């Protein structure tokens, strides 16, 4: 297994372009299962998760072409030839569950091995199931498999107990081919949901309200292929913003949507970083003022993103004063606190709250990337830690960041990749 060796690198400087959004492209690719004809998706990030989704589509009978020079994927969908997603693929990526809605809507049946828990919590799919049941599907879960069947989905009023991103997307996709009107209340409002809705509407769906807490979907008979460019990845944007602040550097981040990272901008400015919305992108500087503590509470969008929590924890370990970090979205998303503490951060976790004392000099250590964002946080911590940091299990990072090491190295980071 590969690992990163990260050395103290000094301030990062220069400009970097953000790739297309991982969390937008995965459901968009799944949605192509519902079409007849060819779809072309542009600005697709080169990621392991995207590769798994392409393999799932192929296993269902789609002809998928990946062109990594142009970052374009074309999917030609004629007839869905299988209605089961094998566990071998599901275990590699929880987002496999996104094919449940499209498969059910298109073929009347979906069988998917149940995704297990992961290092950030249990991650149940009860809200996905509740949504499909409301649309008239029968759901059976046994022996580690969820099976959904319906002769014809029917529009319904669905209230989500929690604004789950994945459940909102799955239900929205299934409802596009249901008979009549579906209304999703307390829907998630993330930009990736708006991007998926835009793609579905280009395919002939009739969706209104995506990006608000009430989404209305008027079912249509069929969907056709469409061309779409994925939105920039807001978490990758935020990662480079934190990279500028933590190294006390100066980075211009191109191909980003500042509106999608408002809470990250606000929190970085509270810490004393300078953020300017320039013509060519967002410019973040951590070299002007002394950086100070701030408290963070994760929330569904437009609140502070849980996917930025680990990265901020790394930053807050280096500023003046103590900060509280409260995680409200996932039940167990503090595994990185122990790894950062191995580097000297001395973070105390109590339930859903972590206290970061700050100002402890970080020291290079051997640490484990426990999940995708935790891994990225450890890389950023390694850039400012004295000596060498060795980060193992970096396949998590490669699941979700396109050319992470190369982009950081182009900004002056000292990172190498080694095969164990
Ligand atoms: C998506 C993102 C992930 C991000 C998360 C929250 C993708 C591929 N992944 O994950 O990067 O961290 O949103 O912004 O888009 N829950 C239930 N029952 C369900 C579904 C969810 O209880 O049926 C709970 C989860 O356990 C969790 C919370 O709801 O505590 C949020 O999960 P959700 O919004 O569904 O996240 P994902 O769609 O899995």
């Amino acid at each position: 297994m590969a690992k990163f060796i990260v050395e103290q690198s000094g301030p990062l400087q220069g400009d970097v372009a953000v790739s297309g959004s991982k969390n937008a492209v995965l459901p968009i690719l799944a949605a192509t299962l519902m079409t007849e004809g060819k779809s072309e998706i542009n600005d697709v990030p080169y990621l392991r998760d995207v590769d798994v989704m392409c393999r799932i589509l192929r296993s269902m009978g789609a002809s998928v072409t990946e062109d990594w020079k142009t970052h374009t994927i074309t999917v030609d969908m004629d007839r869905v030839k299988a209605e089961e997603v094998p566990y071998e693929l599901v275990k590699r990526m929880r987002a496999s569950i996104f094919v449940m809605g499209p498969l059910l809507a298109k073929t009347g049946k979906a069988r998917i091995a149940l995704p297990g828990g992961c290092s950030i919590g249990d991650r149940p799919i009860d809200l996905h199931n509740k949504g499909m049941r409301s649309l008239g599907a029968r759901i059976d879960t046994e022996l580690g498999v969820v099976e959904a069947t319906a002769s014809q989905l029917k529009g319904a009023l669905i209230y989500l107990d929690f604004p789950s991103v994945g459940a909102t997307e799955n239900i929205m996709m299934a409802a596009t081919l249901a008979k009549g009107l579906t209304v999703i209340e307390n829907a998630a409002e993330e930009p990736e949901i708006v991007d998926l809705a835009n793609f579905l509407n280009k395919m002939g769906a009739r969706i209104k309200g995506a990006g608000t807490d009430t989404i209305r979907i008027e079912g249509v008979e069929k969907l056709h292929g469409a061309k779409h460019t994925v939105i920039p990845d807001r978490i990758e944007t935020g990662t480079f913003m934190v990279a500028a602040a933590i190294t006390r550097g100066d980075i211009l981040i191109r191909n980003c949507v500042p509106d999608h990272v408002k809470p990250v901008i606000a929190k970085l400015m509270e810490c004393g970083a300078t953020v300017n919305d320039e013509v060519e992108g967002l410019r973040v500087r951590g070299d002007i003022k002394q950086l100070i503590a701030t408290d963070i509470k994760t929330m569904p969008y437009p609140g502070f993103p849980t996917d930025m929590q680990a990265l901020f924890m790394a930053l807050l370990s280096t500023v003046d004063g103590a900060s509280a970090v409260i995680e409200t979205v996932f039940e167990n998303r503090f595994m990185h606190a122990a790894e950062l503490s191995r580097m000297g951060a001395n973070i105390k976790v109590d339930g859903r709250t972590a206290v970061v004392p700050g100002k402890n000099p970080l020291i290079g250590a051997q640490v484990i990337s426990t999940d995708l964002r935790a891994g990225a946080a450890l890389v950023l911590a390694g850039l400012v830690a004295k000596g060498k940091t060795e980060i193992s299990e970096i396949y998590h990072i490669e699941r979700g960041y396109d050319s992470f090491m190369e982009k950081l190295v182009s900004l002056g980071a000292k990172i190498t990749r080694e095969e164990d």
Side-chain angles (χ1 to χ4, degrees), residues 156-296:
L157 173 66
I158 300 166
Y159 172 82
L160 292 180
D161 300 310
F162 182 88
S164 153
V165 176
T168 302
E169 292 171 334
N170 230 340
I171 297 165
M172 189 167 78
M173 290 191 279
T176 58
L177 290 176
K179 216 175 168 64
L181 177 71
T182 298
V183 181
I184 309 174
E185 288 181 345
N186 199 29
E189 301 174 30
E190 271 70 0
E192 294 77 19
I193 288 161
V194 179
D195 206 33
L196 173 64
N198 287 341
F199 177 60
L200 291 166
N201 283 340
K202 285 181 192 170
M203 300 195 320
R206 298 176 62 191
I207 303 171
K208 287 192 178 145
T212 74
D213 65 358
T214 307
I215 304 179
R216 299 167 70 84
I217 306 127
E218 188 77 58
V220 295
E221 294 236 317
K222 57 179 176 178
L223 299 169
H224 51 80
K227 199 172 164 177
H228 187 74
T229 300
V230 178
I231 53 168
D233 196 304
R234 66 193 164 94
I235 307 302
E236 188 191 352
T237 305
T239 302
F240 286 111
M241 295 171 77
V242 172
I246 197 171
T247 64
R248 312 304 192 255
D250 179 357
I251 304 180
L252 176 70
I253 301 158
R254 299 178 195 275
N255 191 37
C256 62
V257 181
D259 252 10
H260 293 172
V261 285
K262 274 186 186 165
V264 180
I265 296 177
K267 285 291 161 185
L268 279 176
M269 289 175 71
E270 270 179 39
C271 281
T274 306
V275 184
N276 286 318
D277 186 356
E278 299 185 354
V279 183
E280 291 182 72
L282 273 179
R283 184 159 176 210
V284 183
R285 299 188 63 169
D287 58 343
I288 298 180
K289 284 192 259 170
Q290 171 105 341
L291 299 194
I292 52 168
T294 189
D295 296 337
I296 301 285

Side-chain angles (χ1 to χ4, degrees), residues 6-10 12 247 379-385 408 413-415:
V6 185
E7 281 180 66
Q8 195 172 29
S9 303
L12 296 194
T247 64
V379 171
L380 298 194
L383 294 175
V384 293
L408 286 169
K414 294 181 192 153
I415 309 177

Side-chain angles (χ1 to χ4, degrees), residues 22-24 26-27 49 94-95 97-98 120-129 162-169 188 190 192 234-235 299-301 305-307 328-331 333 352 372-373:
K22 165 178 94 73
N23 289 353
L26 295 174
D49 275 9
R94 286 189 46 84
I97 194 70
F98 285 140
I120 62 177
D122 230 7
R123 302 188 80 172
I125 57 160
D126 56 312
L127 297 171
H128 300 244
N129 291 345
F162 182 88
S164 153
V165 176
T168 302
E169 292 171 334
E190 271 70 0
E192 294 77 19
R234 66 193 164 94
I235 307 302
M299 307 272 273
Y301 192 85
T306 172
D307 285 350
T328 77
V329 178
F330 287 105
E331 62 196 18
R333 202 170 193 176
R352 292 192 170 214
L372 164 57
R373 308 301 168 186

